[in-house]
Structures are given as C-alpha cells and as structure tokens.
C-alpha cells in the first residue's frame, strides 16, 4: 500500500519540533515534509496531486503569504484527495465564521489547537490516513491520476444520453460532486457490496 505523505505548512515551526519528530517516527522520515511558506506548500501539493497526502495547515502564515482559508480553497479547487487538518494557536472563537463555514463545507478533516497533546494530533493524522484508504472518491481520484496524460484524455465512459467523458472529465465530476460524480461513487459501492456478499472473501489481517 502506498505510504501517506504528511505536509506541515507552518511558518513558526522548526525542523526539530517534537511534533515533526513524532510524526517522522510514526510515518517515516521521508514521508513528513515541513514548508514554512504557504506558497511553497501549495507548489508541493500541485506537484503531488496523485499522492496520498495529509496537510497540517497553520492558520496564520506570515506576512505576504496566503493564510489557511485561501490555501484551503486553492487545494479544494484542485482535488478532494488531500485531507487538510487546520493546526492553529488561535482560539476557535476568534476564527471568522465564514472561514469556519468554508472549512466545514469543503471537508477539512478537523481543526486542532497547537497546544493539544501531540498524541491527539497523531491520532487525527492516523484517522485521515485511514479515510484516504477507504473513501471511494479518494480511491477513484488516485486511480485515475496514475494513468498517463494520453490515457486520461481519451473517451472512457458514455452515458445513456450519449455524453462522452474522459478520465480527466470524471475527476472533475467527482471533485465537484456533480450528479454524475455521485452516481459513479454509488455504483462502485453497490458493485463492491454485491461482490462481497455473493462470495466468501478472505480479508488481510
């Protein structure tokens, strides 16, 4: 199974921070990346859209850099595959309501204060990793993204109304949660359930 990558975007965090040390012990040194500038963090995300990626995103990210609400919006414009956890020293009550609504409506996995125990942060990251392994939209998007550019642009699916979609088109439908995107996810789940219930299957321990 492909290992999860954890990108920490935080302007005040040092490379020897205890949280980074713990995450690297748990998930591997090469799988935990620190970016102090949110613009650089976005570059990394755009270059790794087909990667299983969890982002720990600080709320205030320094002068001249996009702050968490803007970074989060830009991530969601590109992909639903990446899980975002807002990691902040701010009191939740001081976060503007419109930002909280955006985080909730666009599926930030959670908001956690940087004063929380490290074990709580690790537990939230583990939960995000599990969901990346099991959510249908994430698995579909990851599978499609691994095809070549040529394969992704070829006609792949035709609807009853004769509309033709490429794999790239299907990614957009899934990301935007259109009627077609939701129907595709539903069909895959139904097929998986039918396969599971129609035959005995051994599961990996």
């Amino acid at each position: 199974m492909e290992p999860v990558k954890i990108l920490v975007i935080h302007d005040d965090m040092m490379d020897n921070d205890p949280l980074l040390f713990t995450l690297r012990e748990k998930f591997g040194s090469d799988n935990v990346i620190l970016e102090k500038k949110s613009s650089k963090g976005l570059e990394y995300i755009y270059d790794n859209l087909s990667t299983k990626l969890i982002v720990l995103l600080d709320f205030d990210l320094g002068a001249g850099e996009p702050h968490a609400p803007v970074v989060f919006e830009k991530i969601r414009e590109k992909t639903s595959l990446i899980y975002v956890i807002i990691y902040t020293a701010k009191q939740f009550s001081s976060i503007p309501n419109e930002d909280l609504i955006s985080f909730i409506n666009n599926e930030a996995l959670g908001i956690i204060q940087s004063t929380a125990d490290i074990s709580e942060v690790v537990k939230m990251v583990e939960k995000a990793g599990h969901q990346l392994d099991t959510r249908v939209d994430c698995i579909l998007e990851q599978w499609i993204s691994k095809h070549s550019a040529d394969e992704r642009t070829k006609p792949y699916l035709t609807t009853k109304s004769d509309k033709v979609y490429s794999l790239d088109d299907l990614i957009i439908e899934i990301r935007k949660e259109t009627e077609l995107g939701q129907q595709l996810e539903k069909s895959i789940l139904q097929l998986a359930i039918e396969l599971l219930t129609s035959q005995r299957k051994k599961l990996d321990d």
Side-chain angles (χ1 to χ4, degrees):
M1 187 178 292
E2 180 187 351
V4 66
K5 297 279 188 182
I6 300 161
L7 173 65
V8 180
I9 304 178
H10 199 301
D11 61 323
D12 289 329
M13 190 172 289
M14 303 302 291
D15 200 56
N16 61 352
D17 190 273
L19 174 61
L20 293 178
F21 177 82
T22 303
L23 289 172
R24 285 169 177 155
E25 260 199 333
K26 181 79 177 177
F27 299 98
S29 296
D30 293 338
N31 297 322
V32 180
I33 303 101
L34 172 65
E35 286 289 357
K36 289 177 173 290
K37 292 186 176 182
S38 56
S39 54
K40 291 291 185 184
L42 278 171
E43 283 181 24
Y44 181 90
I45 290 166
Y46 291 166
D47 289 340
N48 293 275
L49 288 175
S50 63
T51 300
K52 284 200 305 187
L53 184 62
I54 298 166
V55 177
L56 269 175
L57 179 61
D58 188 21
F59 192 92
D60 294 317
L61 286 153
E65 290 291 317
H67 292 317
V70 174
V71 175
F72 183 63
E73 184 179 342
K74 289 183 178 295
I75 292 171
R76 282 296 173 258
E77 285 173 0
K78 290 285 186 180
T79 182
S80 61
L81 176 64
I82 292 169
Y83 263 52
V84 181
I85 299 169
I86 307 301
Y87 182 71
T88 180
K90 293 174 75 73
Q91 292 295 316
F92 296 158
S93 59
S94 68
I95 298 176
N97 282 342
E98 59 268 25
D99 293 333
L100 289 172
I101 290 169
S102 175
F103 294 150
I104 293 167
N105 289 345
N106 291 292
E107 297 185 337
L109 181 70
I111 303 176
I112 190 164
Q113 288 190 306
S114 54
T115 54
D117 190 84
I118 288 175
S119 63
E120 292 182 42
V121 182
V122 171
K123 190 179 296 183
M124 192 170 279
V125 171
E126 287 178 322
K127 177 182 176 183
H130 173 71
Q131 293 197 17
L132 281 174
D133 283 335
T134 55
R135 268 186 52 169
V136 174
D137 57 345
C138 294
I139 295 168
L140 262 179
E141 189 172 350
Q142 188 176 10
W143 176 76
I144 291 172
S145 297
K146 287 184 175 179
H147 287 68
S148 69
D150 184 56
E151 289 174 318
R152 293 200 308 266
T153 55
K154 288 179 180 177
Y156 184 81
L157 181 147
T158 304
T159 66
K160 289 181 180 178
S161 58
D162 290 328
K163 289 189 70 174
V164 178
Y165 293 86
S166 67
L167 289 175
D168 276 347
D169 295 329
L170 293 178
I171 284 182
I172 294 170
E173 298 295 315
I174 292 165
R175 286 174 182 163
K176 292 186 175 180
E177 297 184 329
T178 65
E179 185 177 347
L180 174 64
Q182 292 178 3
Q183 182 59 45
L184 190 59
E185 292 182 40
K186 182 179 178 182
S187 297
I188 290 170
L189 280 172
Q190 288 175 334
L191 177 60
I193 291 169
E194 287 170 10
L195 288 172
L196 190 63
T197 55
S198 65
Q199 58 183 335
R200 292 181 179 179
K201 181 175 175 58
K202 288 185 177 180
L203 297 175
D204 292 335
D205 293 328

